[in-house]
Amino acid sequence: MEKGSSKEGSGSDQERDRQYCELCGKMENLLKCGRCRNSFYCSKEHQIQDWTKHKRVCKKETDKSQCPAQPGPSQPPRPAKEGQQRLSRKNSAKQSDAATQSTSQTGHSNPPSDGERMKDFITSTTGSGAVEDNKQAGDGITNNTKPNGQTRSPPQRLAMEYIVPCMNKHGICVVDNFLGEETSLNILEDVKALYQSGKFTDGQLVSQKSDSSKDIRGDKITWIEGRESGCEKIAFLMSRMDDLVRHCNGKLGNYKINGRTKAMVACYPGNGTGYVRHVDNPNGDGRCVTCIYYLNKDWDAKEHGGLLRIFPEGKAQFADIEPKFDRLLFFWSDRRNPHEVQPAYATRYAITVWYFDADERARAKEKYLTGAGEKGVKVELNKPSEPS
């Protein structure tokens, strides 16, 4: 059984950006299928788990390229004996460019040689929350209020004047001071109490069965529907997210959003763990928009690390998103936005919801591509959410 060629040193950066594990979306230290040479996996275990789906495509690609016959299409590939690999591990030093290498002291990453930071996504305006005429839609926005709370932008205005044009232009959108300090502190209290209750477990990979994911992601998570006791403020946050998406619906690309996941409440415990570069939805499971809310008071990225770094497809730039308190982030969930969480050296809290495109979700259900980690629930987006 011969080693599969990984084309090291010959592939362009754009080609590398399209390479990810067919099962979990991981984009580092990949192995190439030794049969079709067109699909990648992060481990032999994930190749075996994905074989039922991949064997049909693998056979077609093999026929096209007239590759020597490998194990029969009805059987998953057997683990290779010593010295014989069905998958060839790519040289990690060449696969991972400087943008994905974190230092062990500050949590920073060295900037890529061919890229620069996309500052537009984290620059905040200082006005009432409306997008100024001379500001680009990609510039961050501060949803400011006066002490009486009367100047916060209504959801419809925020959605139509900022989020929709920003997402359609850049695929990434940041809203600061989303709910205000008092409400955000109440949500943080809910999250801390939930974490201290011991209900969090190690973060899992989509479609993961038994192999460990601790080398890929280091967060602790729990899933919240919103009806649980002690989670009333988290439910309120989810209702405000739903309101924004309801006003954006039908205007975000060609998507028709008809549901979302439960909320994934995540904590990086501050011991230097992160989440390697990956894609949220590499397999067309229905998720189209990732929505993250951050709850980290007085966060200093220079000291605490924990940046979310997004590598927009086809661009020689990256976007660094600090997990600041009361910050809301939107971005496309598919391979257009590979991203990583850099090592965090202080406790880092976030709440993530994924919104489903109706057509893609229906196709995914037909093909049984939905993962065990996706907690899908029915959400009515044609009605305003009830305040809690």
Side-chain angles (χ1 to χ4, degrees):
M1 192 182 301
E2 63 184 68
K3 290 186 177 182
S5 171
S6 60
K7 298 181 181 179
E8 291 175 359
S10 62
S12 66
D13 290 340
Q14 187 173 1
E15 289 174 339
R16 186 176 64 246
D17 286 343
R18 290 197 294 268
Q19 297 172 1
Y20 49 80
C21 175
E22 296 287 344
L23 193 68
C24 71
K26 181 182 176 183
M27 302 185 73
E28 294 180 335
N29 300 327
L30 297 177
L31 309 165
K32 179 178 287 189
C33 176
R35 182 176 184 176
C36 68
R37 304 178 183 273
N38 285 324
S39 294
F40 295 84
Y41 294 93
C42 65
S43 66
K44 295 178 183 178
E45 290 81 4
H46 277 200
Q47 186 200 23
I48 293 171
Q49 290 178 31
D50 191 53
W51 179 246
T52 301
K53 177 170 70 71
H54 176 62
K55 64 182 179 181
R56 297 187 295 269
V57 179
C58 189
K59 185 177 186 303
K60 292 179 182 179
E61 294 297 331
T62 304
D63 292 342
K64 289 180 181 179
S65 60
Q66 296 181 346
C67 288
Q70 301 274 341
S74 62
Q75 297 293 328
R78 297 179 180 177
K81 296 181 181 179
E82 185 177 357
Q84 294 180 326
Q85 295 182 343
R86 178 164 186 77
L87 300 173
S88 63
R89 183 167 297 278
K90 301 190 72 174
N91 186 310
S92 59
K94 294 183 179 180
Q95 165 65 20
S96 302
D97 60 19
T100 61
Q101 297 174 356
S102 302
T103 67
S104 59
Q105 295 181 353
T106 66
H108 283 187
S109 291
N110 297 324
S113 58
D114 61 345
E116 60 184 27
R117 186 176 174 212
M118 301 178 72
K119 298 179 181 180
D120 284 350
F121 300 117
I122 61 172
T123 303
S124 298
T125 64
T126 57
S128 63
V131 178
E132 299 174 8
D133 291 338
N134 62 344
K135 300 289 287 184
Q136 294 184 5
D139 294 337
I141 190 169
T142 299
N143 201 30
N144 284 332
T145 64
K146 293 180 179 179
N148 61 10
Q150 297 300 308
T151 61
R152 188 170 300 281
S153 297
Q156 185 173 8
R157 183 180 181 188
L158 185 61
M160 297 306 300
E161 295 186 8
Y162 176 64
I163 295 174
V164 168
C166 183
M167 284 292 289
N168 287 332
K169 182 177 181 180
H170 299 286
I172 306 170
C173 181
V174 176
V175 178
D176 282 330
N177 301 327
F178 177 51
L179 296 176
E181 184 168 4
E182 181 178 356
T183 300
S184 300
L185 285 173
N186 289 333
I187 297 171
L188 180 58
E189 289 179 5
D190 277 5
V191 170
K192 286 183 175 180
L194 194 63
Y195 186 70
Q196 293 169 2
S197 71
K199 295 181 179 178
F200 282 57
T201 58
D202 289 340
Q204 300 293 305
L205 302 177
V206 172
S207 300
Q208 179 182 347
K209 293 185 178 179
S210 61
D211 56 312
S212 174
S213 62
K214 290 183 179 179
D215 59 334
I216 297 177
R217 60 184 297 182
D219 55 342
K220 307 285 185 179
I221 67 168
T222 190
W223 294 91
I224 296 298
E225 185 174 354
R227 300 176 183 177
E228 299 85 349
S229 175
C231 298
E232 290 78 13
K233 296 304 179 182
I234 298 176
F236 178 76
L237 166 66
M238 295 162 69
S239 73
R240 298 284 77 83
M241 291 176 170
D242 291 345
D243 281 345
L244 279 181
V245 173
R246 176 174 56 85
H247 290 299
C248 294
N249 201 10
K251 303 174 182 66
L252 293 174
N254 296 319
Y255 295 124
K256 181 180 179 182
I257 297 173
N258 71 337
R260 59 163 168 77
T261 64
K262 293 182 182 180
M264 187 187 76
V265 185
C267 173
Y268 289 86
N271 56 359
T273 57
Y275 195 158
V276 303
R277 183 170 172 177
H278 66 283
V279 176
D280 281 354
N281 175 17
N283 295 321
D285 60 30
R287 291 178 293 170
C288 60
V289 175
T290 300
C291 181
I292 307 177
Y293 183 71
Y294 293 110
L295 288 161
N296 306 296
K297 204 62 170 150
D298 302 319
W299 191 267
D300 183 353
K302 292 182 179 180
E303 178 182 356
H304 303 141
L307 288 171
L308 179 73
R309 176 163 286 184
I310 305 177
F311 304 86
E313 185 183 46
K315 296 183 179 180
Q317 295 177 314
F318 56 84
D320 277 349
I321 310 297
E322 294 186 35
K324 291 182 177 180
F325 184 74
D326 198 20
R327 166 171 280 183
L328 187 68
L329 167 68
F330 295 91
F331 59 89
W332 301 132
S333 303
D334 59 17
R335 68 181 186 179
R336 285 174 289 182
N337 284 317
H339 56 283
E340 66 186 15
V341 177
Q342 298 183 351
Y345 299 95
T347 303
R348 180 188 188 275
Y349 293 109
I351 300 176
T352 304
V353 166
W354 288 272
Y355 287 90
F356 292 125
D357 172 62
D359 292 340
E360 184 177 311
R361 184 65 173 172
R363 291 194 300 269
K365 287 182 176 180
E366 289 179 3
K367 296 179 180 178
Y368 304 101
L369 296 181
T370 54
E374 300 165 31
K375 310 298 182 181
V377 295
K378 180 67 175 178
V379 179
E380 296 291 341
L381 294 177
N382 58 346
K383 297 178 182 179
S385 300
E386 295 296 330
S388 57

